[in-house]
């Protein structure tokens, strides 16, 4: 069974204080690892997809990296508007229907303070 | 691009009634749509996968007769919660996978269902 574990559960940062969020996963065969941002009462917003170990992607203050066992979401010089819950999900290799399925972690709730 | 809408955003209903939630892909065609539910401070749990023109595939433990899914076109899927009870109160979110695109799923804004 595919599993995704995110840590920490919650993180408080001062504005400008860089940090990393962790996503550890176990999957029979990784098709893709996804990062989403979710604001309270809203649906997840797509950030990145990573497909193979060693891959990195960046978007503004965010950078996602991937190894064979985990992914990191690095936040550089965060601002209060980066406050949100960050979700990690994996998609396993499989048949068309099952291969589309995303298994989510419980997220890291990030709070960036002035 | 890749915008998904849901309607309604909030609904309050009495126990025993049925509620229909619509999910639309606004600027792309989606062969596959997904329905999730999310309880407070918990992650998204996949309920079912909806393919255009065929029956939905339900996850283990999800009652297909209670949660009726119809994927009528490449841009519309509906979830009907039949005979709703207070324990069905939750945040329901749909997502869509773009036709011929990569594996990204784009999510709607969610529907907050409260059953009294």
């Amino acid at each position: 069974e595919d599993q995704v574990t995110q840590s920490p559960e919650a993180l408080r940062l001062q504005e400008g204080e860089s940090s990393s969020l962790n996503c550890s996963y176990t999957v029979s065969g990784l098709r893709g690892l996804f990062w989403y941002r979710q604001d309270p009462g809203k649906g997840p917003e797509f950030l990145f997809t990573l497909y193979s170990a060693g891959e990195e992607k960046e978007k503004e203050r965010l950078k996602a990296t991937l190894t064979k066992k985990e992914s990191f979401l690095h936040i550089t010089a965060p601002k209060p508007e980066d406050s949100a819950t960050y979700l990690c999900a994996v998609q396993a290799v499989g048949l068309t229907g099952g291969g589309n399925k995303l298994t989510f972690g419980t997220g890291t709730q990030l709070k960036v303070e002035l | 691009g890749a915008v998904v809408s849901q309607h309604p955003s909030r609904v309050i209903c009495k126990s025993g009634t049925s509620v229909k939630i619509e999910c639309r892909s606004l600027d792309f065609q989606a062969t596959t749509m997904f329905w999730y539910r999310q309880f407070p401070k918990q992650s998204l749990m996949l309920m079912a996968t909806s393919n255009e023109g065929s029956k939905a595939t339900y996850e283990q433990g999800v009652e297909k007769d209670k949660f009726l899914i119809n994927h009528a076109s490449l841009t519309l899927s509906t979830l009907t919660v039949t005979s709703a009870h207070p324990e069905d109160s939750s945040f329901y979110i749909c997502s869509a996978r773009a036709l011929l695109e990569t594996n990204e799923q784009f999510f709607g804004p969610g529907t907050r269902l409260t059953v009294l």
Side-chain angles (χ1 to χ4, degrees):
Chain A
E1 184 179 334
D2 304 334
Q3 287 192 325
V4 179
T5 302
Q6 291 187 246
S7 62
E9 288 186 13
L11 181 62
R12 278 182 182 269
L13 298 174
Q14 295 296 311
E15 185 176 13
E17 180 186 2
S18 301
S19 187
S20 296
L21 313 182
N22 177 264
C23 171
S24 298
Y25 65 90
T26 55
V27 64
S28 53
L30 183 67
R31 194 176 199 181
L33 184 141
F34 302 80
W35 282 99
Y36 288 88
R37 168 192 171 129
Q38 186 176 27
D39 292 299
K42 296 188 177 180
E45 174 189 342
F46 172 74
L47 294 175
F48 304 108
T49 310
L50 301 168
Y51 292 102
S52 58
E55 189 175 0
E56 298 182 353
K57 287 191 176 174
E58 288 188 66
K59 180 181 179 180
E60 297 180 354
R61 295 178 292 282
L62 301 176
K63 179 180 177 180
T65 62
L66 180 66
T67 73
K68 288 186 178 180
K69 294 183 179 181
E70 57 191 351
S71 177
F72 291 94
L73 184 65
H74 307 276
I75 303 178
T76 303
K79 297 182 178 182
E81 53 262 41
D82 295 322
S83 299
T85 295
Y86 290 85
L87 298 170
C88 171
V90 296
Q91 189 178 59
V93 173
L95 297 175
T96 303
N100 284 324
K101 177 182 176 179
L102 291 180
T103 300
F104 279 87
T106 51
T108 293
Q109 191 172 353
L110 174 65
K111 175 76 172 175
V112 182
E113 299 171 332
L114 291 170
Chain B
V3 178
V4 177
S5 70
Q6 277 184 246
H7 178 79
S9 58
R10 289 179 178 270
V11 58
I12 301 173
C13 69
K14 292 183 178 180
S15 185
T17 61
S18 295
V19 174
K20 180 185 282 188
I21 303 170
E22 290 187 350
C23 176
R24 294 181 184 271
S25 56
L26 297 184
D27 52 0
F28 66 99
Q29 292 183 319
T31 52
T32 307
M33 289 184 171
F34 305 85
W35 287 96
Y36 295 83
R37 64 189 295 181
Q38 186 177 34
F39 291 105
K41 299 195 176 182
Q42 294 187 25
S43 193
L44 284 78
M45 296 299 294
L46 179 66
M47 298 174 65
T49 301
S50 166
N51 293 295
E52 189 264 340
S54 62
K55 290 184 178 180
T57 302
Y58 290 82
E59 294 299 299
Q60 193 172 12
V62 177
E63 297 176 57
K64 63 179 181 181
D65 294 329
K66 181 168 185 61
F67 299 99
L68 301 178
I69 293 172
N70 185 298
H71 195 151
S73 73
L74 286 173
T75 60
L76 174 64
S77 177
T78 60
L79 168 68
T80 301
V81 183
T82 63
S83 186
H85 291 285
E87 57 264 31
D88 298 323
S89 298
S90 187
F91 192 50
Y92 291 86
I93 311 175
C94 72
S95 71
R97 177 175 173 262
L99 182 65
L100 300 182
E101 288 293 330
T102 55
N103 293 320
E104 284 86 2
Q105 291 181 24
F106 298 96
F107 285 81
T111 297
R112 173 72 60 191
L113 170 63
T114 303
V115 184
L116 302 176

Coordinates of all heavy atoms in Angstrom, one line a residue, chain A residues 8 36 40-43 48 53 64 73 76 78 87-88 94 96 100 104 108:
Chain A
P8 N 7.4 18.7 9.3 CA 6.6 18.6 10.6 C 5.2 18.7 10.2 O 4.8 19.1 9.1 CB 7.2 19.7 11.4 CG 7.6 20.7 10.4 CD 8.1 20.0 9.2
Y36 N 1.3 20.3 -3.5 CA 0.1 21.3 -3.6 C 0.2 22.2 -2.4 O 0.6 21.9 -1.3 CB -1.2 20.5 -3.6 CG -1.5 19.7 -4.8 CD1 -1.1 18.4 -5.0 CD2 -2.3 20.3 -5.9 CE1 -1.4 17.7 -6.1 CE2 -2.6 19.6 -7.0 CZ -2.1 18.3 -7.1 OH -2.4 17.6 -8.3
P40 N -7.0 27.6 3.7 CA -8.2 27.2 4.5 C -9.5 27.3 3.7 O -9.7 28.4 3.1 CB -8.2 28.1 5.7 CG -6.8 28.5 5.9 CD -6.2 28.6 4.5
G41 N -10.3 26.3 3.7 CA -11.6 26.3 3.0 C -11.5 26.3 1.5 O -12.5 26.6 0.8
K42 N -10.3 26.0 0.9 CA -10.2 26.0 -0.5 C -9.6 24.7 -1.0 O -9.1 23.9 -0.2 CB -9.3 27.2 -1.0 CG -9.9 28.5 -0.7 CD -9.1 29.6 -1.3 CE -9.7 31.0 -1.0 NZ -9.0 32.1 -1.6
G43 N -9.7 24.5 -2.3 CA -9.1 23.3 -2.9 C -7.6 23.4 -3.0 O -7.1 24.6 -3.0
F48 N 4.1 21.6 -8.0 CA 5.1 20.9 -8.8 C 4.8 19.5 -9.0 O 4.1 18.9 -8.2 CB 6.5 20.9 -8.0 CG 7.0 22.3 -7.6 CD1 7.0 22.7 -6.3 CD2 7.5 23.1 -8.6 CE1 7.5 23.9 -5.9 CE2 8.0 24.4 -8.2 CZ 8.0 24.7 -6.9
A53 N 14.4 10.6 -9.3 CA 15.3 11.0 -8.2 C 16.4 11.9 -8.9 O 16.8 11.7 -10.0 CB 16.0 9.8 -7.6
A64 N 11.4 22.4 -5.0 CA 11.1 21.0 -4.7 C 12.2 20.1 -5.2 O 12.7 20.2 -6.3 CB 9.8 20.6 -5.2
L73 N 10.5 20.3 0.2 CA 10.0 21.5 -0.3 C 10.8 22.6 0.4 O 10.5 22.8 1.6 CB 8.5 21.7 -0.2 CG 7.9 23.0 -0.8 CD1 8.1 22.9 -2.3 CD2 6.4 23.1 -0.4
T76 N 12.6 29.6 0.6 CA 13.6 30.6 0.8 C 13.0 31.9 1.1 O 12.2 32.4 0.4 CB 14.5 30.7 -0.4 OG1 15.0 29.4 -0.7 CG2 15.6 31.6 -0.2
P78 N 10.8 33.2 3.3 CA 9.3 33.2 3.2 C 8.7 34.5 3.6 O 9.2 35.3 4.4 CB 8.9 32.0 4.1 CG 10.0 31.9 5.1 CD 11.2 32.3 4.3
L87 N 0.7 20.2 0.8 CA 0.4 18.8 0.7 C 1.3 18.1 -0.3 O 1.6 18.7 -1.3 CB -1.1 18.6 0.2 CG -2.1 19.1 1.1 CD1 -3.5 19.1 0.4 CD2 -2.2 18.3 2.4
C88 N 1.7 16.9 0.0 CA 2.5 16.1 -0.9 C 1.7 14.9 -1.2 O 0.9 14.3 -0.4 CB 3.8 15.6 -0.1 SG 4.8 14.4 -0.9
G94 N 0.9 2.0 -12.6 CA -0.1 0.9 -12.6 C -1.0 1.1 -13.8 O -0.7 1.8 -14.7
T96 N -4.3 2.1 -16.0 CA -4.8 3.5 -16.2 C -5.6 4.1 -15.1 O -5.3 5.2 -14.6 CB -5.6 3.5 -17.5 OG1 -4.9 3.0 -18.6 CG2 -6.0 5.0 -17.8
N100 N -3.8 6.7 -12.0 CA -4.1 8.1 -11.9 C -4.3 8.5 -10.4 O -4.4 9.6 -10.1 CB -5.4 8.4 -12.7 CG -5.2 8.5 -14.1 OD1 -4.1 9.0 -14.6 ND2 -6.1 8.1 -14.9
F104 N -2.3 11.1 -0.7 CA -1.9 12.3 -0.1 C -1.3 12.1 1.3 O -1.8 11.1 2.0 CB -3.0 13.3 0.1 CG -3.3 14.0 -1.2 CD1 -4.2 13.5 -2.2 CD2 -2.8 15.3 -1.4 CE1 -4.5 14.2 -3.3 CE2 -3.0 16.0 -2.6 CZ -3.9 15.5 -3.5
T108 N 1.7 19.8 5.9 CA 2.5 20.6 6.8 C 1.8 22.0 6.8 O 1.7 22.6 5.8 CB 3.9 20.8 6.5 OG1 4.6 19.5 6.6 CG2 4.6 21.8 7.4

